[in-house]
Amino acid sequence: MPLILIALGWCVGIAYAAGERSDSLLVWVAAPLPLYTAYWLIRQRHARMFLMIALAFALGGLRFALAPATSAIAAFNNYGGATVEGIVIAPPDAREDRQQIRISADSITQNSRTYATNGIVMIDAPRWIDVRYGDHVRATGTLTTPSRYGNFSYADYLARAGIYSQLRDASVEILAADSAANPFTILLDLRRRAADQFARSLPEPESGLLTGILLGDESSIADSTEDAFALTGAAHIVAISGFNMVVVSGIVTGLLKRLRAPRRLSTLLALAAIAVYTLFVGASAAVLRAALMSGLLIVGKNLRRKTFVPTSLAFAALILSAVNPLTLWDVGFQLSFAAVLGIALFTDPLQNRFSALLSRLFPKSAAARLSEWLAEPLIVSLSATVAVLPLIILLFGRVSWVTLFVNVLIVPVQPLILILGGAAAISGWVFPPLAAIFHAGVFILLAYTIDVVRFFAALPFASTEIAIHKNSVALLFGAVVVVTMIRAVRPSWASRVWQWIKQRRILSLIGAALAALVILGIAYVRAQPDGRLHVWLLDMGHAHAALIRTPGGATILLDGGRYPTRLLTLLGDRLPFYSHTIDLLMITHPDPNDYTALLEVAERYTIGAAITNGQPNGNPAYAALLDSIGLERVTPAPEFSGDRITLPDGTRIEILNPITSPSLSDSFGESALVLRVTLGDTTFLFPSDLDADGQAVLLEQGIDPEAQVLIVPRRGGEDALSAEFLRAVNPSLALIQLDPANYARDPAPETLEMLTGIPVYRTDQVGTIHIVTDGSSLWEWAEGD
């Protein structure tokens, strides 16, 4: 129990330090000292426990503050072409059309100058180049900051591995091949030979699936096959997990048990088998996590000590986040943690009820055998599914309804696949003719697995898109943590409460229903308009996207970017949970970078009305968007030019540009829709992509663009602002919407220089920006995602 609380304090400290985005290392260095002193001065047990949790919190924050946020070579990002030299530090990851190579850089040449540097670079290179771990290479390409794609941030994903630079479209030259033999390179060579053997002996997709299951290399699995496994909730079969580790160690311990080896020797050899297998499959972060968890469980089992899984999980989280605090944001870690916790909490209760049900339907011996046979594919899968379901819905926006049926059918054959596949690999190295027998056996099982998955994936009800608020997931897992701690301590009051609930089940159900209604009522009341104007500049990367909610509750969406999943998530987090209407959609110009995501928004939400800049466009996607909205609801902006739309709640909307309908050949810089929104004395100006020439035309027409808040046009790039236009707007606050990975390196230095003296907020630095006004005062928050 103390370890769980300490790990919890540590992880909360890391999360708090990350949320604060604080650069003050001194605060986190100083915080643990008085807590540590107080711990040794105070003797009261509960007070010392509280101080220990607080100390863990402070140390967690310190660990995050000490984690590097960039690398030396990242200073050269987004300046164009570069040549990087370094050592390959991991086996290349082959993809469908390329391979990704991680190198530890030692020098970079850019603009004809060579600099000594350091840091890890992810290289996108042609697949045919035979690069291996340990090679010294020279790569030439475009050095950039990794990007974000929809809800998936590739930059954050790579940052968890200490990578802050990506070399795109690179050519690679091997300067010196690694000739040094060590245990790791020998294992990698054996892994490569096993993958080649499977490719020669088995057809696709069976070969690729076996390589993924046994060797942890999913590069040969076709996208359609991966999608089928994901749709049916069977993706865990492909990934290297604790399941693989337990099977490997089980083979070793089973063999040693038959040889009557001492228990401690069995334990050590089982752990050694896990370590060798971990190195054999590449020792990625996910594999190391699975190995650590499996090792903890095996030690407890073989030493005849009942391992309390939540404590083992707490220990694993503590160790992994101490090595790399960003592990807590790793999707694989989150799913694995939730799955193992679910298995620990729910398997025994579900198994007992399932066994009792079978004993009523079948004879005792048959019921026992059936219960044992269905324990792993049904009960364990159900326990894990229940725990990870909220996370899957939150992360992927989809739930599979067939996952239990699929797992019941395919999980029982997976140990055989691992055993036969491993036997095929080993015999292929020693005596190839024998390998053919194992290949034939494993082929049948692989084909069966794929056919089952494909059958269920093809069903129209296999999965459904669904949304859940992140706060709901946090609340749910918070409740699970509380239940886990109560089960560990087993206080007397908890037993009395549980007995009271069991004796009054109907009353308890009524009470739970009333509590749910109260929670929904509170959420409904909180979602009501608060009499203020809310403006969110949404973090959609290098694109325009703004959400406005007026004092009366009217909703206005201005553009939307090109990542629908991310836009839908940002809208769902900020609109009332019961709302499925966008009252007014403003499309400032027909640029796919700014409207593509709106196609799915129009499918999910009812669009009350839409205003465009009136510019014709031949892109079928744009035509599909207008059709989805309803052409009768779409009005060109010039029809409103010079008019002021006043809503009943006092919000005023003005369209300043364009005055006349633009032609197909007109640039977005002159024809962009310019919107001004006002409440009381506070005004927001949304110039979209209006360039310096367009700004000059606007001023020449006598239009006064004055506004308190300026959304800087054209992402603050070159030619984004003219000095005359900025003086005319005279803002007291400037907001810039951009992607940290933009190749243009926006905002331009000259734009920032013009904004000197004006507070500037940027989405690439703080995420989504939330501005609130009551018409006189102004409040701003950086909301992050």
Side-chain angles (χ1 to χ4, degrees), residues 661-715:
S661 297
S663 66
L664 182 64
S665 59
D666 287 346
S667 71
F668 295 153
E670 295 182 0
S671 63
L673 188 155
V674 178
L675 180 74
R676 182 162 58 185
V677 178
T678 304
L679 179 68
D681 298 327
T682 306
T683 302
F684 297 79
L685 183 67
F686 301 87
S688 183
D689 272 345
L690 194 72
D691 61 16
D693 292 336
Q695 295 162 21
V697 171
L698 202 68
L699 296 176
E700 288 172 2
Q701 293 170 345
I703 296 174
D704 180 10
E706 185 177 6
Q708 189 173 355
V709 181
L710 170 66
I711 288 74
V712 178
R714 304 178 68 81
R715 294 161 291 277

Tab-separated table of all heavy atoms in Angstrom, residues 661-715:
chain	number	residue	atom	x	y	z
A	661	SER	N	-17.816	40.040	-54.836
A	661	SER	CA	-17.555	38.604	-54.987
A	661	SER	C	-16.224	38.377	-55.682
A	661	SER	O	-16.005	38.888	-56.792
A	661	SER	CB	-18.680	37.960	-55.800
A	661	SER	OG	-19.909	38.069	-55.125
A	662	PRO	N	-15.321	37.622	-55.070
A	662	PRO	CA	-14.026	37.356	-55.695
A	662	PRO	C	-14.170	36.353	-56.837
A	662	PRO	O	-15.111	35.557	-56.874
A	662	PRO	CB	-13.195	36.768	-54.546
A	662	PRO	CG	-14.193	36.199	-53.603
A	662	PRO	CD	-15.424	37.029	-53.722
A	663	SER	N	-13.239	36.417	-57.764
A	663	SER	CA	-13.243	35.469	-58.881
A	663	SER	C	-12.380	34.260	-58.531
A	663	SER	O	-11.678	34.241	-57.527
A	663	SER	CB	-12.705	36.148	-60.144
A	663	SER	OG	-11.332	36.476	-59.984
A	664	LEU	N	-12.419	33.260	-59.400
A	664	LEU	CA	-11.668	32.031	-59.178
A	664	LEU	C	-10.166	32.301	-59.107
A	664	LEU	O	-9.432	31.642	-58.367
A	664	LEU	CB	-11.970	31.035	-60.300
A	664	LEU	CG	-11.311	29.664	-60.207
A	664	LEU	CD1	-11.800	28.923	-58.975
A	664	LEU	CD2	-11.578	28.847	-61.459
A	665	SER	N	-9.697	33.300	-59.862
A	665	SER	CA	-8.260	33.569	-59.943
A	665	SER	C	-7.756	34.494	-58.841
A	665	SER	O	-6.545	34.676	-58.695
A	665	SER	CB	-7.921	34.187	-61.309
A	665	SER	OG	-8.646	35.399	-61.500
A	666	ASP	N	-8.640	35.099	-58.072
A	666	ASP	CA	-8.202	36.012	-57.012
A	666	ASP	C	-7.453	35.252	-55.923
A	666	ASP	O	-7.800	34.119	-55.582
A	666	ASP	CB	-9.403	36.733	-56.394
A	666	ASP	CG	-9.976	37.794	-57.314
A	666	ASP	OD1	-9.282	38.153	-58.292
A	666	ASP	OD2	-11.121	38.228	-57.082
A	667	SER	N	-6.444	35.892	-55.361
A	667	SER	CA	-5.661	35.240	-54.302
A	667	SER	C	-6.425	35.274	-52.987
A	667	SER	O	-7.257	36.159	-52.753
A	667	SER	CB	-4.318	35.958	-54.136
A	667	SER	OG	-4.515	37.235	-53.548
A	668	PHE	N	-6.125	34.286	-52.134
A	668	PHE	CA	-6.734	34.274	-50.810
A	668	PHE	C	-6.301	35.489	-50.009
A	668	PHE	O	-7.019	35.945	-49.119
A	668	PHE	CB	-6.338	33.005	-50.058
A	668	PHE	CG	-6.860	31.728	-50.680
A	668	PHE	CD1	-6.198	30.524	-50.498
A	668	PHE	CD2	-8.015	31.735	-51.453
A	668	PHE	CE1	-6.672	29.357	-51.060
A	668	PHE	CE2	-8.498	30.568	-52.022
A	668	PHE	CZ	-7.825	29.377	-51.837
A	669	GLY	N	-5.118	36.014	-50.318
A	669	GLY	CA	-4.606	37.159	-49.584
A	669	GLY	C	-5.468	38.397	-49.723
A	669	GLY	O	-5.475	39.252	-48.838
A	670	GLU	N	-6.213	38.511	-50.815
A	670	GLU	CA	-7.079	39.679	-51.012
A	670	GLU	C	-8.551	39.351	-50.815
A	670	GLU	O	-9.344	40.239	-50.494
A	670	GLU	CB	-6.868	40.253	-52.417
A	670	GLU	CG	-5.468	40.817	-52.658
A	670	GLU	CD	-5.324	41.415	-54.048
A	670	GLU	OE1	-6.309	41.377	-54.810
A	670	GLU	OE2	-4.237	41.918	-54.365
A	671	SER	N	-8.909	38.072	-51.004
A	671	SER	CA	-10.334	37.726	-50.989
A	671	SER	C	-10.788	37.071	-49.696
A	671	SER	O	-11.952	36.698	-49.561
A	671	SER	CB	-10.640	36.777	-52.155
A	671	SER	OG	-9.922	35.559	-52.010
A	672	ALA	N	-9.890	36.878	-48.724
A	672	ALA	CA	-10.258	36.175	-47.490
A	672	ALA	C	-11.362	36.908	-46.747
A	672	ALA	O	-11.409	38.143	-46.710
A	672	ALA	CB	-9.033	36.025	-46.594
A	673	LEU	N	-12.237	36.133	-46.140
A	673	LEU	CA	-13.304	36.698	-45.325
A	673	LEU	C	-12.704	37.234	-44.028
A	673	LEU	O	-12.006	36.517	-43.311
A	673	LEU	CB	-14.347	35.609	-45.031
A	673	LEU	CG	-15.657	36.012	-44.355
A	673	LEU	CD1	-16.744	34.999	-44.709
A	673	LEU	CD2	-15.527	36.080	-42.844
A	674	VAL	N	-12.973	38.493	-43.737
A	674	VAL	CA	-12.476	39.135	-42.516
A	674	VAL	C	-13.664	39.391	-41.612
A	674	VAL	O	-14.638	40.045	-42.006
A	674	VAL	CB	-11.736	40.444	-42.830
A	674	VAL	CG1	-11.285	41.115	-41.525
A	674	VAL	CG2	-10.544	40.178	-43.726
A	675	LEU	N	-13.573	38.885	-40.389
A	675	LEU	CA	-14.693	38.943	-39.455
A	675	LEU	C	-14.304	39.748	-38.220
A	675	LEU	O	-13.178	39.629	-37.725
A	675	LEU	CB	-15.069	37.512	-39.041
A	675	LEU	CG	-16.224	37.336	-38.062
A	675	LEU	CD1	-17.543	37.598	-38.766
A	675	LEU	CD2	-16.216	35.915	-37.482
A	676	ARG	N	-15.246	40.557	-37.733
A	676	ARG	CA	-15.046	41.258	-36.471
A	676	ARG	C	-16.227	40.952	-35.556
A	676	ARG	O	-17.383	41.075	-35.957
A	676	ARG	CB	-14.915	42.762	-36.676
A	676	ARG	CG	-14.652	43.518	-35.370
A	676	ARG	CD	-14.101	44.905	-35.598
A	676	ARG	NE	-14.987	45.739	-36.412
A	676	ARG	CZ	-14.667	46.965	-36.834
A	676	ARG	NH1	-13.476	47.465	-36.540
A	676	ARG	NH2	-15.513	47.662	-37.568
A	677	VAL	N	-15.905	40.521	-34.326
A	677	VAL	CA	-16.937	40.165	-33.344
A	677	VAL	C	-16.779	41.084	-32.141
A	677	VAL	O	-15.670	41.229	-31.605
A	677	VAL	CB	-16.800	38.690	-32.917
A	677	VAL	CG1	-17.843	38.339	-31.859
A	677	VAL	CG2	-16.944	37.757	-34.117
A	678	THR	N	-17.882	41.670	-31.692
A	678	THR	CA	-17.828	42.675	-30.622
A	678	THR	C	-18.858	42.370	-29.554
A	678	THR	O	-19.999	41.995	-29.858
A	678	THR	CB	-18.086	44.086	-31.187
A	678	THR	OG1	-17.153	44.361	-32.239
A	678	THR	CG2	-17.966	45.147	-30.109
A	679	LEU	N	-18.453	42.532	-28.308
A	679	LEU	CA	-19.379	42.528	-27.176
A	679	LEU	C	-19.004	43.700	-26.290
A	679	LEU	O	-17.892	43.746	-25.742
A	679	LEU	CB	-19.300	41.217	-26.390
A	679	LEU	CG	-20.234	41.153	-25.166
A	679	LEU	CD1	-21.699	41.104	-25.601
A	679	LEU	CD2	-19.909	39.946	-24.286
A	680	GLY	N	-19.904	44.643	-26.139
A	680	GLY	CA	-19.618	45.831	-25.344
A	680	GLY	C	-18.442	46.594	-25.919
A	680	GLY	O	-18.435	46.980	-27.087
A	681	ASP	N	-17.404	46.796	-25.091
A	681	ASP	CA	-16.221	47.535	-25.523
A	681	ASP	C	-15.100	46.625	-26.014
A	681	ASP	O	-13.998	47.106	-26.305
A	681	ASP	CB	-15.682	48.381	-24.353
A	681	ASP	CG	-16.690	49.420	-23.889
A	681	ASP	OD1	-17.446	49.913	-24.745
A	681	ASP	OD2	-16.729	49.704	-22.678
A	682	THR	N	-15.347	45.334	-26.091
A	682	THR	CA	-14.307	44.377	-26.478
A	682	THR	C	-14.570	43.857	-27.884
A	682	THR	O	-15.675	43.389	-28.174
A	682	THR	CB	-14.251	43.195	-25.495
A	682	THR	OG1	-14.096	43.709	-24.164
A	682	THR	CG2	-13.100	42.269	-25.833
A	683	THR	N	-13.529	43.921	-28.724
A	683	THR	CA	-13.675	43.541	-30.126
A	683	THR	C	-12.571	42.576	-30.522
A	683	THR	O	-11.407	42.740	-30.142
A	683	THR	CB	-13.613	44.785	-31.045
A	683	THR	OG1	-14.645	45.694	-30.651
A	683	THR	CG2	-13.818	44.402	-32.494
A	684	PHE	N	-12.940	41.552	-31.298
A	684	PHE	CA	-12.002	40.564	-31.826
A	684	PHE	C	-11.981	40.693	-33.347
A	684	PHE	O	-13.037	40.757	-33.987
A	684	PHE	CB	-12.436	39.136	-31.469
A	684	PHE	CG	-12.472	38.842	-30.000
A	684	PHE	CD1	-13.546	39.256	-29.213
A	684	PHE	CD2	-11.448	38.135	-29.390
A	684	PHE	CE1	-13.590	38.973	-27.857
A	684	PHE	CE2	-11.471	37.845	-28.035
A	684	PHE	CZ	-12.552	38.281	-27.262
A	685	LEU	N	-10.778	40.697	-33.915
A	685	LEU	CA	-10.643	40.779	-35.372
A	685	LEU	C	-10.009	39.491	-35.888
A	685	LEU	O	-8.934	39.087	-35.437
A	685	LEU	CB	-9.779	41.979	-35.763
A	685	LEU	CG	-9.636	42.217	-37.278
A	685	LEU	CD1	-10.979	42.619	-37.889
A	685	LEU	CD2	-8.584	43.293	-37.570
A	686	PHE	N	-10.682	38.843	-36.857
A	686	PHE	CA	-10.209	37.604	-37.470
A	686	PHE	C	-9.905	37.873	-38.941
A	686	PHE	O	-10.797	37.767	-39.793
A	686	PHE	CB	-11.271	36.506	-37.360
A	686	PHE	CG	-11.686	36.175	-35.949
A	686	PHE	CD1	-12.695	36.890	-35.308
A	686	PHE	CD2	-11.077	35.138	-35.270
A	686	PHE	CE1	-13.083	36.581	-34.023
A	686	PHE	CE2	-11.451	34.815	-33.972
A	686	PHE	CZ	-12.453	35.544	-33.344
A	687	PRO	N	-8.661	38.240	-39.290
A	687	PRO	CA	-8.351	38.595	-40.685
A	687	PRO	C	-8.063	37.403	-41.598
A	687	PRO	O	-7.804	37.604	-42.790
A	687	PRO	CB	-7.091	39.473	-40.556
A	687	PRO	CG	-6.857	39.656	-39.099
A	687	PRO	CD	-7.519	38.515	-38.425
A	688	SER	N	-8.023	36.186	-41.056
A	688	SER	CA	-7.734	34.988	-41.852
A	688	SER	C	-6.398	35.139	-42.570
A	688	SER	O	-5.398	35.454	-41.941
A	688	SER	CB	-8.870	34.710	-42.835
A	688	SER	OG	-8.646	33.529	-43.563
A	689	ASP	N	-6.383	34.946	-43.899
A	689	ASP	CA	-5.132	35.024	-44.663
A	689	ASP	C	-4.989	36.359	-45.399
A	689	ASP	O	-4.263	36.444	-46.402
A	689	ASP	CB	-5.069	33.881	-45.688
A	689	ASP	CG	-4.445	32.629	-45.092
A	689	ASP	OD1	-3.823	32.728	-44.019
A	689	ASP	OD2	-4.594	31.550	-45.684
A	690	LEU	N	-5.652	37.383	-44.937
A	690	LEU	CA	-5.544	38.692	-45.577
A	690	LEU	C	-4.097	39.177	-45.528
A	690	LEU	O	-3.508	39.301	-44.454
A	690	LEU	CB	-6.448	39.696	-44.857
A	690	LEU	CG	-6.702	41.014	-45.588
A	690	LEU	CD1	-7.624	40.797	-46.789
A	690	LEU	CD2	-7.315	42.052	-44.632
A	691	ASP	N	-3.486	39.410	-46.712
A	691	ASP	CA	-2.080	39.817	-46.746
A	691	ASP	C	-1.950	41.335	-46.743
A	691	ASP	O	-2.948	42.060	-46.625
A	691	ASP	CB	-1.374	39.187	-47.945
A	691	ASP	CG	-1.973	39.619	-49.280
A	691	ASP	OD1	-2.722	40.628	-49.332
A	691	ASP	OD2	-1.701	38.936	-50.303
A	692	ALA	N	-0.708	41.814	-46.848
A	692	ALA	CA	-0.452	43.257	-46.758
A	692	ALA	C	-1.183	44.021	-47.854
A	692	ALA	O	-1.704	45.124	-47.610
A	692	ALA	CB	1.048	43.513	-46.828
A	693	ASP	N	-1.237	43.449	-49.084
A	693	ASP	CA	-1.969	44.125	-50.159
A	693	ASP	C	-3.456	44.195	-49.838
A	693	ASP	O	-4.107	45.233	-50.044
A	693	ASP	CB	-1.760	43.384	-51.487
A	693	ASP	CG	-0.323	43.494	-51.983
A	693	ASP	OD1	0.366	44.468	-51.580
A	693	ASP	OD2	0.100	42.626	-52.758
A	694	GLY	N	-4.014	43.094	-49.349
A	694	GLY	CA	-5.429	43.100	-48.977
A	694	GLY	C	-5.708	44.061	-47.843
A	694	GLY	O	-6.764	44.704	-47.798
A	695	GLN	N	-4.776	44.158	-46.898
A	695	GLN	CA	-4.952	45.094	-45.788
A	695	GLN	C	-4.948	46.537	-46.288
A	695	GLN	O	-5.732	47.374	-45.808
A	695	GLN	CB	-3.836	44.870	-44.769
A	695	GLN	CG	-3.876	43.506	-44.095
A	695	GLN	CD	-2.574	43.112	-43.430
A	695	GLN	OE1	-1.750	43.968	-43.120
A	695	GLN	NE2	-2.376	41.812	-43.213
A	696	ALA	N	-4.068	46.816	-47.251
A	696	ALA	CA	-4.015	48.170	-47.815
A	696	ALA	C	-5.326	48.519	-48.516
A	696	ALA	O	-5.849	49.634	-48.369
A	696	ALA	CB	-2.840	48.277	-48.786
A	697	VAL	N	-5.890	47.560	-49.279
A	697	VAL	CA	-7.165	47.795	-49.966
A	697	VAL	C	-8.267	48.063	-48.948
A	697	VAL	O	-9.111	48.956	-49.140
A	697	VAL	CB	-7.515	46.577	-50.856
A	697	VAL	CG1	-8.932	46.712	-51.405
A	697	VAL	CG2	-6.512	46.447	-52.002
A	698	LEU	N	-8.266	47.306	-47.856
A	698	LEU	CA	-9.278	47.480	-46.819
A	698	LEU	C	-9.219	48.893	-46.246
A	698	LEU	O	-10.257	49.556	-46.063
A	698	LEU	CB	-9.051	46.446	-45.714
A	698	LEU	CG	-10.237	46.104	-44.808
A	698	LEU	CD1	-11.304	45.364	-45.588
A	698	LEU	CD2	-9.766	45.245	-43.637
A	699	LEU	N	-8.007	49.373	-45.977
A	699	LEU	CA	-7.860	50.725	-45.420
A	699	LEU	C	-8.229	51.792	-46.442
A	699	LEU	O	-8.818	52.830	-46.087
A	699	LEU	CB	-6.425	50.929	-44.934
A	699	LEU	CG	-5.963	50.027	-43.763
A	699	LEU	CD1	-4.496	50.273	-43.446
A	699	LEU	CD2	-6.832	50.269	-42.531
A	700	GLU	N	-7.884	51.551	-47.712
A	700	GLU	CA	-8.221	52.516	-48.762
A	700	GLU	C	-9.724	52.694	-48.913
A	700	GLU	O	-10.198	53.751	-49.322
A	700	GLU	CB	-7.620	52.061	-50.093
A	700	GLU	CG	-6.103	52.203	-50.158
A	700	GLU	CD	-5.532	51.560	-51.408
A	700	GLU	OE1	-6.338	51.040	-52.230
A	700	GLU	OE2	-4.295	51.547	-51.570
A	701	GLN	N	-10.482	51.638	-48.578
A	701	GLN	CA	-11.939	51.715	-48.682
A	701	GLN	C	-12.574	52.406	-47.482
A	701	GLN	O	-13.797	52.498	-47.387
A	701	GLN	CB	-12.531	50.310	-48.828
A	701	GLN	CG	-12.157	49.643	-50.159
A	701	GLN	CD	-12.531	48.180	-50.189
A	701	GLN	OE1	-12.808	47.585	-49.149
A	701	GLN	NE2	-12.540	47.595	-51.381
A	702	GLY	N	-11.744	52.896	-46.571
A	702	GLY	CA	-12.238	53.633	-45.420
A	702	GLY	C	-12.772	52.774	-44.299
A	702	GLY	O	-13.463	53.267	-43.407
A	703	ILE	N	-12.456	51.495	-44.313
A	703	ILE	CA	-12.932	50.586	-43.268
A	703	ILE	C	-12.001	50.671	-42.058
A	703	ILE	O	-10.785	50.581	-42.201
A	703	ILE	CB	-13.007	49.139	-43.791
A	703	ILE	CG1	-14.036	49.044	-44.921
A	703	ILE	CG2	-13.347	48.166	-42.674
A	703	ILE	CD1	-14.089	47.711	-45.599
A	704	ASP	N	-12.590	50.864	-40.895
A	704	ASP	CA	-11.810	50.952	-39.657
A	704	ASP	C	-11.742	49.561	-39.013
A	704	ASP	O	-12.756	49.053	-38.529
A	704	ASP	CB	-12.476	51.936	-38.706
A	704	ASP	CG	-11.703	52.069	-37.389
A	704	ASP	OD1	-10.566	51.545	-37.317
A	704	ASP	OD2	-12.244	52.677	-36.443
A	705	PRO	N	-10.557	48.923	-38.967
A	705	PRO	CA	-10.462	47.566	-38.428
A	705	PRO	C	-10.128	47.511	-36.943
A	705	PRO	O	-9.697	46.476	-36.441
A	705	PRO	CB	-9.317	46.975	-39.254
A	705	PRO	CG	-8.405	48.138	-39.478
A	705	PRO	CD	-9.280	49.369	-39.560
A	706	GLU	N	-10.299	48.599	-36.224
A	706	GLU	CA	-9.861	48.641	-34.827
A	706	GLU	C	-10.432	47.460	-34.028
A	706	GLU	O	-11.604	47.101	-34.164
A	706	GLU	CB	-10.290	49.957	-34.183
A	706	GLU	CG	-9.759	50.105	-32.743
A	706	GLU	CD	-10.124	51.452	-32.130
A	706	GLU	OE1	-10.879	52.208	-32.774
A	706	GLU	OE2	-9.657	51.716	-31.013
A	707	ALA	N	-9.583	46.856	-33.186
A	707	ALA	CA	-10.002	45.727	-32.351
A	707	ALA	C	-9.061	45.598	-31.175
A	707	ALA	O	-7.870	45.898	-31.275
A	707	ALA	CB	-10.021	44.435	-33.161
A	708	GLN	N	-9.594	45.141	-30.054
A	708	GLN	CA	-8.764	44.954	-28.871
A	708	GLN	C	-7.917	43.692	-28.988
A	708	GLN	O	-6.782	43.638	-28.518
A	708	GLN	CB	-9.653	44.860	-27.628
A	708	GLN	CG	-8.881	44.868	-26.317
A	708	GLN	CD	-9.808	44.936	-25.124
A	708	GLN	OE1	-11.018	45.069	-25.278
A	708	GLN	NE2	-9.252	44.844	-23.924
A	709	VAL	N	-8.483	42.645	-29.629
A	709	VAL	CA	-7.777	41.376	-29.795
A	709	VAL	C	-7.609	41.104	-31.283
A	709	VAL	O	-8.590	41.074	-32.027
A	709	VAL	CB	-8.541	40.207	-29.135
A	709	VAL	CG1	-7.763	38.903	-29.315
A	709	VAL	CG2	-8.785	40.490	-27.660
A	710	LEU	N	-6.365	40.904	-31.711
A	710	LEU	CA	-6.066	40.622	-33.117
A	710	LEU	C	-5.558	39.197	-33.267
A	710	LEU	O	-4.592	38.803	-32.608
A	710	LEU	CB	-5.002	41.599	-33.636
A	710	LEU	CG	-4.404	41.282	-35.022
A	710	LEU	CD1	-5.457	41.421	-36.118
A	710	LEU	CD2	-3.196	42.174	-35.315
A	711	ILE	N	-6.226	38.424	-34.099
A	711	ILE	CA	-5.678	37.135	-34.500
A	711	ILE	C	-4.778	37.439	-35.687
A	711	ILE	O	-5.244	37.817	-36.766
A	711	ILE	CB	-6.786	36.121	-34.863
A	711	ILE	CG1	-7.521	35.662	-33.596
A	711	ILE	CG2	-6.180	34.896	-35.541
A	711	ILE	CD1	-8.450	36.638	-32.991
A	712	VAL	N	-3.486	37.327	-35.498
A	712	VAL	CA	-2.511	37.764	-36.508
A	712	VAL	C	-2.717	36.970	-37.804
A	712	VAL	O	-2.754	35.737	-37.785
A	712	VAL	CB	-1.073	37.571	-35.984
A	712	VAL	CG1	-0.057	37.982	-37.041
A	712	VAL	CG2	-0.868	38.377	-34.701
A	713	PRO	N	-2.881	37.669	-38.935
A	713	PRO	CA	-3.149	36.962	-40.194
A	713	PRO	C	-1.937	36.171	-40.685
A	713	PRO	O	-0.794	36.442	-40.298
A	713	PRO	CB	-3.505	38.092	-41.161
A	713	PRO	CG	-2.868	39.309	-40.588
A	713	PRO	CD	-2.891	39.127	-39.104
A	714	ARG	N	-2.225	35.168	-41.496
A	714	ARG	CA	-1.193	34.410	-42.212
A	714	ARG	C	-0.165	33.803	-41.262
A	714	ARG	O	1.017	33.673	-41.594
A	714	ARG	CB	-0.524	35.283	-43.270
A	714	ARG	CG	-1.497	35.896	-44.266
A	714	ARG	CD	-0.813	36.796	-45.262
A	714	ARG	NE	0.036	36.042	-46.168
A	714	ARG	CZ	-0.406	35.384	-47.251
A	714	ARG	NH1	-1.695	35.368	-47.548
A	714	ARG	NH2	0.444	34.734	-48.023
A	715	ARG	N	-0.623	33.470	-40.017
A	715	ARG	CA	0.217	32.798	-39.031
A	715	ARG	C	1.481	33.580	-38.693
A	715	ARG	O	2.495	33.017	-38.289
A	715	ARG	CB	0.559	31.382	-39.503
A	715	ARG	CG	-0.662	30.471	-39.566
A	715	ARG	CD	-0.436	29.281	-40.439
A	715	ARG	NE	-0.328	29.641	-41.832
A	715	ARG	CZ	-1.371	29.838	-42.649
A	715	ARG	NH1	-2.592	29.727	-42.186
A	715	ARG	NH2	-1.208	30.161	-43.919
